[in-house]
Amino acid sequence: MRKIWIAGLVLAVLGLIIYSVSGTQPARVLDEAYLGRLREARRQKDQSLHNASDSPIPGAQRATFAGLRYFAPTADFRVMARLVRQPVLLPQPLAMTLGAPESYQRWGTAEFELNGQPQKLTLLQKAGDQQLFVPFTDPTNGQQTYGAGRFLDVPLPPAEANEIELDFNQTYNPYCAYNHEFSCPKPPAENRLTVPVAAGEQAYQP
């Protein structure tokens, strides 16, 4: 038993030495329960896009629709952000790809880091919604992801919360990414991230 204890102590010390030399932290991982929920949500979305009568996938493409494409889930894009609430909810209309602007309220901001770089996103809310709407752009747009940007929905945090989780693995495309006949909100200029977000839904390929 004493030999086992000593061996464990030696391994722990070696780990600390390697950490201090390399300056790297152990890789963060996503638990299997989370991954299972994510896979199921994506499966259900594919099924709905394939079968629903109001699917944005054009009818001529549904027979060959093989599902959406995603980046591999990673804990690096599941971040806790500093939450700054708006003292008074101010109107912030969003331009649409088609037609008149759509009404939203400026709810607050989220401040966080990605790859060591400080980032900030405006959190919006549509009247009556029980979640926050976060449309954003990043350097992957027009290459790996939809050119006009992507969306993220976030549950309303408790009144006492001073942090909010942004899970970019949940990022999704607007309907106009599948069909230009749909009208979608355009992300505001201040919601431009400087770091490529290789997480969530990729560009749609018919």
Side-chain angles (χ1 to χ4, degrees):
M1 179 64 71
R2 180 178 176 81
K3 290 182 179 179
I4 294 175
W5 181 84
I6 293 174
L9 180 61
V10 169
L11 288 174
V13 171
L14 284 173
L16 288 173
I17 292 172
I18 292 171
Y19 169 77
S20 64
V21 172
S22 65
T24 59
Q25 300 182 20
R28 296 170 59 216
V29 296
L30 297 169
D31 64 77
E32 188 54 41
Y34 168 87
L35 293 172
R37 291 193 298 271
L38 192 62
R39 285 192 294 265
E40 178 59 18
R42 292 176 176 180
R43 186 195 67 79
Q44 291 184 12
K45 183 172 183 178
D46 281 345
Q47 186 176 47
S48 177
L49 289 174
H50 189 275
N51 297 323
S53 59
D54 59 349
S55 169
I57 303 296
Q61 297 174 11
R62 290 193 202 174
T64 57
F65 176 68
L68 302 176
R69 300 181 310 127
Y70 296 91
F71 293 99
T74 170
D76 292 338
F77 286 105
R78 192 180 185 190
V79 301
M80 292 303 298
R82 176 174 173 263
L83 179 61
V84 181
R85 300 169 189 267
Q86 190 79 21
V88 178
L89 295 182
L90 300 175
Q92 180 161 338
L94 289 185
M96 303 291 286
T97 54
L98 300 172
E102 196 167 79
S103 297
Y104 287 86
Q105 294 176 320
R106 189 184 183 93
W107 192 90
T109 58
E111 301 173 359
F112 55 100
E113 287 191 356
L114 284 178
N115 291 343
Q117 301 297 314
Q119 309 291 323
K120 183 177 180 179
L121 286 172
T122 296
L123 308 172
L124 303 173
Q125 185 183 29
K126 182 175 281 190
D129 280 0
Q130 295 304 304
Q131 62 184 7
L132 301 177
F133 179 56
V134 191
F136 71 94
T137 58
D138 73 275
T140 67
N141 300 150
Q143 301 176 62
Q144 298 156 293
T145 64
Y146 180 52
R150 293 178 292 165
F151 298 164
L152 181 63
D153 295 328
V154 183
L156 275 173
E160 69 279 5
N162 56 17
E163 288 188 317
I164 191 168
E165 183 181 72
L166 301 178
D167 185 0
F168 291 99
N169 297 298
Q170 308 275 1
T171 297
Y172 63 96
N173 285 336
Y175 273 10
C176 51
Y178 317 125
N179 190 332
H180 294 312
E181 293 183 3
F182 282 81
S183 184
C184 306
K186 296 180 180 180
E190 69 264 26
N191 275 12
R192 173 72 178 177
L193 299 178
T194 61
V195 173
V197 179
E201 190 175 339
Q202 296 186 21
Y204 173 61
Q205 293 184 348

Short mmCIF file of all heavy atoms in Angstrom, two decimals, residues 51-77:
data_model
loop_
_atom_site.label_atom_id
_atom_site.label_comp_id
_atom_site.label_asym_id
_atom_site.label_seq_id
_atom_site.Cartn_x
_atom_site.Cartn_y
_atom_site.Cartn_z
N ASN A 51 -38.82 16.44 -43.00
CA ASN A 51 -40.22 16.01 -43.09
C ASN A 51 -41.27 17.10 -42.88
O ASN A 51 -42.39 16.97 -43.38
CB ASN A 51 -40.48 14.91 -42.04
CG ASN A 51 -39.65 13.67 -42.29
OD1 ASN A 51 -39.42 13.29 -43.43
ND2 ASN A 51 -39.19 13.04 -41.22
N ALA A 52 -40.93 18.16 -42.16
CA ALA A 52 -41.94 19.16 -41.78
C ALA A 52 -42.47 19.90 -43.00
O ALA A 52 -41.71 20.24 -43.92
CB ALA A 52 -41.36 20.14 -40.78
N SER A 53 -43.76 20.19 -42.99
CA SER A 53 -44.39 20.88 -44.13
C SER A 53 -43.88 22.31 -44.27
O SER A 53 -43.88 22.86 -45.36
CB SER A 53 -45.91 20.88 -43.96
OG SER A 53 -46.28 21.53 -42.75
N ASP A 54 -43.45 22.91 -43.14
CA ASP A 54 -42.95 24.28 -43.19
C ASP A 54 -41.42 24.34 -43.18
O ASP A 54 -40.82 25.36 -42.84
CB ASP A 54 -43.51 25.10 -42.02
CG ASP A 54 -43.14 24.50 -40.66
OD1 ASP A 54 -42.64 23.35 -40.62
OD2 ASP A 54 -43.37 25.18 -39.64
N SER A 55 -40.77 23.25 -43.54
CA SER A 55 -39.31 23.21 -43.57
C SER A 55 -38.76 24.24 -44.54
O SER A 55 -39.30 24.44 -45.63
CB SER A 55 -38.82 21.82 -44.00
OG SER A 55 -37.43 21.83 -44.29
N PRO A 56 -37.65 24.92 -44.17
CA PRO A 56 -37.06 25.88 -45.10
C PRO A 56 -36.25 25.23 -46.22
O PRO A 56 -35.87 25.91 -47.18
CB PRO A 56 -36.14 26.71 -44.19
CG PRO A 56 -35.75 25.76 -43.11
CD PRO A 56 -36.97 24.92 -42.87
N ILE A 57 -36.01 23.93 -46.11
CA ILE A 57 -35.28 23.24 -47.18
C ILE A 57 -36.19 23.20 -48.41
O ILE A 57 -37.32 22.71 -48.35
CB ILE A 57 -34.90 21.81 -46.77
CG1 ILE A 57 -34.06 21.80 -45.49
CG2 ILE A 57 -34.14 21.12 -47.90
CD1 ILE A 57 -32.73 22.48 -45.60
N PRO A 58 -35.75 23.73 -49.55
CA PRO A 58 -36.59 23.70 -50.76
C PRO A 58 -37.05 22.28 -51.08
O PRO A 58 -36.30 21.31 -50.90
CB PRO A 58 -35.66 24.25 -51.84
CG PRO A 58 -34.68 25.10 -51.10
CD PRO A 58 -34.46 24.40 -49.78
N GLY A 59 -38.29 22.18 -51.54
CA GLY A 59 -38.88 20.86 -51.81
C GLY A 59 -38.04 20.00 -52.72
O GLY A 59 -37.93 18.79 -52.52
N ALA A 60 -37.42 20.60 -53.72
CA ALA A 60 -36.62 19.83 -54.68
C ALA A 60 -35.38 19.23 -54.04
O ALA A 60 -34.80 18.28 -54.59
CB ALA A 60 -36.22 20.73 -55.85
N GLN A 61 -34.97 19.73 -52.87
CA GLN A 61 -33.75 19.24 -52.23
C GLN A 61 -34.03 18.24 -51.11
O GLN A 61 -33.11 17.59 -50.62
CB GLN A 61 -32.97 20.43 -51.65
CG GLN A 61 -32.48 21.41 -52.69
CD GLN A 61 -31.82 22.63 -52.06
OE1 GLN A 61 -31.56 22.67 -50.86
NE2 GLN A 61 -31.57 23.65 -52.86
N ARG A 62 -35.28 18.11 -50.70
CA ARG A 62 -35.57 17.30 -49.52
C ARG A 62 -35.31 15.81 -49.75
O ARG A 62 -34.91 15.10 -48.82
CB ARG A 62 -37.02 17.51 -49.06
CG ARG A 62 -37.24 18.89 -48.49
CD ARG A 62 -38.55 18.98 -47.76
NE ARG A 62 -38.98 20.37 -47.67
CZ ARG A 62 -40.14 20.75 -47.20
NH1 ARG A 62 -41.02 19.85 -46.78
NH2 ARG A 62 -40.45 22.04 -47.16
N ALA A 63 -35.55 15.33 -50.95
CA ALA A 63 -35.35 13.91 -51.21
C ALA A 63 -33.90 13.49 -51.01
O ALA A 63 -33.62 12.36 -50.61
CB ALA A 63 -35.80 13.57 -52.63
N THR A 64 -32.98 14.41 -51.25
CA THR A 64 -31.55 14.10 -51.13
C THR A 64 -30.92 14.73 -49.89
O THR A 64 -29.70 14.65 -49.70
CB THR A 64 -30.79 14.59 -52.38
OG1 THR A 64 -31.01 15.99 -52.55
CG2 THR A 64 -31.27 13.85 -53.62
N PHE A 65 -31.75 15.35 -49.05
CA PHE A 65 -31.23 15.99 -47.85
C PHE A 65 -30.64 14.94 -46.91
O PHE A 65 -31.33 14.04 -46.45
CB PHE A 65 -32.33 16.78 -47.14
CG PHE A 65 -31.91 17.40 -45.83
CD1 PHE A 65 -31.00 18.44 -45.81
CD2 PHE A 65 -32.43 16.93 -44.64
CE1 PHE A 65 -30.61 19.02 -44.62
CE2 PHE A 65 -32.06 17.52 -43.43
CZ PHE A 65 -31.14 18.55 -43.42
N ALA A 66 -29.35 15.06 -46.62
CA ALA A 66 -28.66 14.04 -45.81
C ALA A 66 -28.31 14.55 -44.42
O ALA A 66 -27.57 13.88 -43.69
CB ALA A 66 -27.40 13.59 -46.53
N GLY A 67 -28.82 15.70 -44.05
CA GLY A 67 -28.54 16.23 -42.72
C GLY A 67 -27.59 17.41 -42.75
O GLY A 67 -26.85 17.61 -43.72
N LEU A 68 -27.62 18.18 -41.69
CA LEU A 68 -26.76 19.36 -41.57
C LEU A 68 -25.35 18.94 -41.15
O LEU A 68 -25.15 17.85 -40.61
CB LEU A 68 -27.34 20.33 -40.55
CG LEU A 68 -28.75 20.83 -40.84
CD1 LEU A 68 -29.25 21.71 -39.69
CD2 LEU A 68 -28.81 21.59 -42.16
N ARG A 69 -24.40 19.82 -41.38
CA ARG A 69 -23.02 19.56 -41.01
C ARG A 69 -22.63 20.44 -39.82
O ARG A 69 -23.01 21.61 -39.75
CB ARG A 69 -22.08 19.85 -42.19
CG ARG A 69 -22.37 18.99 -43.42
CD ARG A 69 -21.40 19.30 -44.55
NE ARG A 69 -21.32 20.74 -44.80
CZ ARG A 69 -20.19 21.43 -44.83
NH1 ARG A 69 -19.03 20.84 -44.60
NH2 ARG A 69 -20.20 22.74 -45.09
N TYR A 70 -21.86 19.85 -38.90
CA TYR A 70 -21.46 20.55 -37.69
C TYR A 70 -19.96 20.36 -37.43
O TYR A 70 -19.37 19.36 -37.83
CB TYR A 70 -22.21 20.01 -36.47
CG TYR A 70 -23.71 20.22 -36.50
CD1 TYR A 70 -24.55 19.26 -37.05
CD2 TYR A 70 -24.28 21.37 -35.96
CE1 TYR A 70 -25.93 19.45 -37.08
CE2 TYR A 70 -25.65 21.56 -35.97
CZ TYR A 70 -26.47 20.59 -36.53
OH TYR A 70 -27.83 20.78 -36.56
N PHE A 71 -19.39 21.33 -36.73
CA PHE A 71 -18.06 21.14 -36.17
C PHE A 71 -18.17 20.13 -35.03
O PHE A 71 -19.22 20.00 -34.40
CB PHE A 71 -17.51 22.45 -35.62
CG PHE A 71 -17.23 23.50 -36.66
CD1 PHE A 71 -18.14 24.52 -36.90
CD2 PHE A 71 -16.05 23.48 -37.39
CE1 PHE A 71 -17.88 25.51 -37.84
CE2 PHE A 71 -15.79 24.45 -38.34
CZ PHE A 71 -16.70 25.47 -38.57
N ALA A 72 -17.07 19.43 -34.75
CA ALA A 72 -17.05 18.54 -33.60
C ALA A 72 -17.22 19.35 -32.32
O ALA A 72 -16.60 20.40 -32.17
CB ALA A 72 -15.74 17.77 -33.56
N PRO A 73 -18.08 18.91 -31.40
CA PRO A 73 -18.28 19.66 -30.15
C PRO A 73 -16.98 19.76 -29.36
O PRO A 73 -16.18 18.83 -29.32
CB PRO A 73 -19.31 18.81 -29.39
CG PRO A 73 -19.96 17.96 -30.42
CD PRO A 73 -18.92 17.71 -31.46
N THR A 74 -16.77 20.92 -28.74
CA THR A 74 -15.56 21.12 -27.93
C THR A 74 -15.88 22.01 -26.74
O THR A 74 -16.68 22.95 -26.84
CB THR A 74 -14.44 21.75 -28.77
OG1 THR A 74 -13.37 22.13 -27.90
CG2 THR A 74 -14.91 22.98 -29.52
N ALA A 75 -15.25 21.71 -25.62
CA ALA A 75 -15.46 22.50 -24.40
C ALA A 75 -14.86 23.89 -24.52
O ALA A 75 -15.24 24.80 -23.79
CB ALA A 75 -14.84 21.77 -23.20
N ASP A 76 -13.93 24.08 -25.45
CA ASP A 76 -13.29 25.39 -25.61
C ASP A 76 -14.28 26.47 -26.03
O ASP A 76 -14.03 27.66 -25.81
CB ASP A 76 -12.17 25.31 -26.65
CG ASP A 76 -11.00 24.46 -26.18
OD1 ASP A 76 -10.85 24.29 -24.95
OD2 ASP A 76 -10.24 23.95 -27.03
N PHE A 77 -15.38 26.06 -26.67
CA PHE A 77 -16.39 27.03 -27.11
C PHE A 77 -17.65 26.98 -26.25
O PHE A 77 -18.71 27.41 -26.68
CB PHE A 77 -16.72 26.81 -28.59
CG PHE A 77 -15.63 27.27 -29.51
CD1 PHE A 77 -14.81 26.36 -30.14
CD2 PHE A 77 -15.40 28.62 -29.72
CE1 PHE A 77 -13.79 26.78 -30.98
CE2 PHE A 77 -14.39 29.05 -30.55
CZ PHE A 77 -13.58 28.13 -31.19
#
